[in-house]
Amino acid sequence: MTRESQTIAVIGGGPAGLEASAKLTGLGYNVFILEKNTEVGGHLLDWDRLFPDQQNASEVLDAIKAGLNENTQILTGAEVVEISENHRFDIKLAGSPQKITADAILVATGFDVFDARKKEEYGYGIYDHVITSAELETYFKNKKEILKRNGSPVKRIAFIHCVGSRDEKAGVRHCSRVCCVTAVKQAIEVKELYPDVEVYLFYMDLRMFGLGYEELYKEAQEIYNIRFIRGRLSESFENQDGTIMVKVEDTLAGKPMRINVDLMVLMVGILASSGTSEMGSKMGIGINSNGFLKPVNSHFSSQISNRAGVFLAGTCKSPKNIEETLSDARAAAVLIDNYLKAKIT
Amino acid sequence: MINFGYTSNKDRQIVFDENDRSVYQILQSKEPSVDICIQCGTCSSTCTTGQFTQFSLRQIIVNIHRGEMDFINEDIRKCMFCGKCQLVCPRSVNTRNIIQVLITILN
């Protein structure tokens, strides 16, 4: 058997699935990308620019897709209903008589953002002027003006960190990692568009873990006059004029604080996607207590699942930025190659 | 006023929109490095004055930004301008000049 005679099914056509597919097809394998949405690209499709260097998300997506060759078959609208194993994997898709037969499977089913309605006290879906970070990104992408409902300009915006992260009341214990720097990036983008808008970020900790992130934070303070207030939002109320009263403890001043804002942006956290949970339970892959898929060893085998022939890549395992997701996908491709090579000989 | 025999406490809340925050604006224009303070507290932990009094440059900066001006005028006069805070500041905030500018504004 040669690489050319072997097939890998990649479940999920986001950045991780696409990058791994590009590397695997580059090695000579045949790859089926099974994407349940109508288009591949995952969350990158909804994003305008990326931290920390403001690169266009579409450029990154194009660069990843450019790596795919004719050995790749992309099936969109493809929902996996059943996976059976008889030396090879047989994958049944919803509403299709076609069965995909594969020698290995890569799960790259990604994340969903936290449903902000669960934090009812933040007023998402109740008050007029509360949006999520994902929605703000579509404003940037579609060049939609940031205005109040009545069409008047927004004068003050609050970004609320850790919405659905580090919050056991919301059932989420983990840190979603990338929201801190996303808030800083988005705050800067708002100031670039509307220099007179006052921007406040309410945070518990600022976790600027990547190279260039801390620098971006300083730039936000120094050049854009963005203010960071340490305190977690406890509750918010809608005033009669549609503005929102935000209540936090200003923990660095040691006093309770209230401030009115025209718009609240909720930095929604990263959770294992519904597809990730579904694939995990369908294939009997270990799921950790945060709902993400669990590799056999998170240090030295972090792309290998507990089921032989099934590999894991990207944010189905934990919150990651694009760089980490792509590196992880490449690592998964190498490990799949090692696994299949052992089968060949 | 009728004396009911009890008093109520003053509201401790920072009411951001009602506070006069003009001192910070002047300070910001005269010493822009105040904006890059990350409230780490390195300055106040090394401060000799802070060891013996309530003086804390970190708290002064945050309170002035919020427009909480109680005790600020007294506190800033406790500084001895030794400059240790400036040596330790990880963001190179011009801490001594912040106090100097504040004294000028509040005089």
Side-chain angles (χ1 to χ4, degrees):
Chain A
M1 277 215 290
T2 58
R3 280 169 173 163
E4 286 70 20
S5 65
Q6 292 190 303
T7 302
I8 298 133
V10 173
I11 305 174
L18 293 172
E19 179 70 4
S21 302
K23 297 305 165 207
L24 288 165
T25 52
L27 288 169
Y29 292 106
N30 299 296
V31 170
F32 278 99
I33 299 177
L34 311 176
E35 169 55 54
K36 70 173 176 182
N37 292 318
T38 53
E39 203 183 334
V40 292
H43 292 273
L44 265 185
L45 291 169
D46 308 321
W47 234 249
D48 185 36
R49 292 188 285 171
L50 304 176
F51 59 75
D53 59 356
Q54 308 286 30
Q55 179 159 20
N56 281 324
S58 59
E59 285 170 18
V60 173
L61 186 53
D62 289 345
I64 301 169
K65 279 163 116 178
L68 299 170
N69 68 21
E70 67 286 349
N71 295 337
T72 320
Q73 285 196 55
I74 297 175
L75 304 182
T76 54
E79 218 164 309
V80 174
V81 280
E82 209 188 294
I83 296 169
S84 50
E85 195 177 354
N86 181 16
H87 301 296
R88 298 176 87 194
F89 295 99
D90 284 320
I91 303 167
K92 227 175 112 187
L93 301 175
S96 164
Q98 190 190 1
K99 242 190 195 170
I100 309 288
T101 305
D103 302 283
I105 292 177
L106 176 65
V107 181
T109 42
F111 71 92
D112 284 341
V113 294
F114 176 78
D115 179 2
R117 284 173 303 187
K118 286 186 184 161
K119 291 295 287 180
E120 203 181 338
E121 61 272 36
Y122 293 2
Y124 180 74
I126 305 169
Y127 307 154
D128 280 347
H129 299 106
V130 184
I131 61 171
T132 66
S133 45
E135 281 168 336
L136 180 61
E137 206 60 40
T138 64
Y139 280 57
F140 296 143
K141 195 174 169 73
N142 303 321
K143 313 239 175 307
K144 185 177 163 189
E145 273 194 86
I146 302 168
L147 296 170
K148 291 174 77 169
R149 272 279 168 91
N150 63 13
S152 62
V154 166
K155 293 196 190 103
R156 191 185 279 168
I157 300 182
F159 285 82
I160 312 295
H161 285 239
C162 300
V163 179
S165 293
R166 305 173 70 193
D167 182 358
E168 293 194 10
K169 283 279 159 62
V172 187
R173 284 181 305 171
H174 65 268
C175 164
S176 298
R177 298 175 75 233
V178 293
C179 342
C180 275
V181 62
T182 300
V184 173
K185 179 206 81 125
Q186 292 187 333
I188 289 175
E189 287 175 301
V190 164
K191 288 291 267 189
E192 281 174 344
L193 292 167
Y194 309 97
D196 296 331
V197 172
E198 284 178 47
V199 179
Y200 296 90
L201 278 73
F202 294 90
Y203 68 94
M204 292 201 285
D205 292 297
L206 288 170
R207 298 185 160 176
M208 299 294 153
F209 63 92
L211 199 69
Y213 299 4
E214 183 71 18
E215 291 87 334
L216 196 69
Y217 165 35
K218 188 176 177 187
E219 205 179 292
Q221 292 177 298
E222 197 168 27
I223 300 170
Y224 296 95
N225 198 22
I226 291 160
R227 303 301 317 191
F228 295 81
I229 298 177
R230 186 171 179 271
R232 192 181 176 103
L233 177 61
S234 59
E235 49 187 336
S236 63
F237 304 94
E238 190 172 50
N239 297 314
Q240 272 192 328
D241 63 358
T243 58
I244 300 156
M245 197 250 270
V246 167
K247 279 183 91 170
V248 297
E249 192 204 357
D250 187 342
T251 58
L252 294 165
K255 289 174 200 165
M257 175 180 188
R258 65 183 156 94
I259 173 170
N260 289 307
V261 300
D262 295 324
L263 178 71
M264 221 157 63
V265 180
L266 307 179
M267 301 310 300
V268 281
I270 288 181
L271 306 180
S273 70
S274 54
T276 291
S277 318
E278 207 187 310
M279 283 305 117
S281 53
K282 267 203 179 108
M283 287 192 254
I285 302 168
I287 296 178
N288 69 31
S289 59
N290 294 307
F292 292 100
L293 302 182
K294 196 169 150 186
V296 282
N297 186 292
S298 58
H299 298 283
F300 55 79
S301 304
S302 66
Q303 292 79 21
I304 300 175
S305 84
N306 54 325
R307 186 164 169 186
V310 178
F311 296 80
L312 313 170
T315 53
C316 63
K317 290 181 295 182
S318 68
K320 285 182 180 64
N321 65 19
I322 293 289
E323 184 191 338
E324 293 163 340
T325 299
L326 299 182
S327 305
D328 194 51
R330 289 176 212 126
V334 170
L335 293 177
I336 291 172
D337 183 44
N338 288 347
Y339 168 78
L340 292 177
K341 262 198 303 206
K343 270 183 119 183
I344 294 168
T345 50
Chain B
M1 193 130 127
I2 305 164
N3 181 3
F4 290 105
Y6 60 86
T7 57
S8 67
N9 290 351
K10 189 173 167 266
D11 192 342
R12 284 181 67 241
Q13 208 169 204
I14 300 171
V15 185
F16 196 74
D17 298 310
E18 288 170 20
N19 280 359
D20 175 5
R21 291 176 280 122
S22 57
V23 171
Y24 189 85
Q25 281 157 17
I26 305 169
L27 173 62
Q28 192 180 28
S29 66
K30 302 217 156 134
E31 185 43 69
S33 74
V34 69
D35 279 341
I36 55 170
C37 168
I38 50 171
Q39 288 285 307
C40 64
T42 315
C43 55
S44 34
S45 72
T46 196
C47 177
T48 310
T49 307
Q51 214 174 311
F52 296 99
T53 72
Q54 290 290 316
F55 180 84
S56 158
L57 181 58
R58 181 190 70 72
Q59 278 183 342
I60 287 172
I61 292 173
V62 76
N63 280 320
I64 291 176
H65 177 263
R66 314 293 193 251
E68 295 280 296
M69 298 303 293
D70 294 353
F71 311 112
I72 298 287
N73 201 5
E74 297 159 43
D75 273 0
I76 53 171
R77 286 160 216 277
K78 294 173 187 159
C79 171
M80 301 183 292
F81 291 97
C82 69
K84 266 192 336 191
C85 49
Q86 205 160 332
L87 289 176
V88 295
C89 177
R91 278 283 183 95
S92 298
V93 174
N94 196 344
T95 51
R96 285 172 79 196
N97 199 40
I98 288 176
I99 298 289
Q100 188 63 61
V101 169
L102 283 173
I103 290 174
T104 320
I105 301 170
L106 295 175
N107 268 348

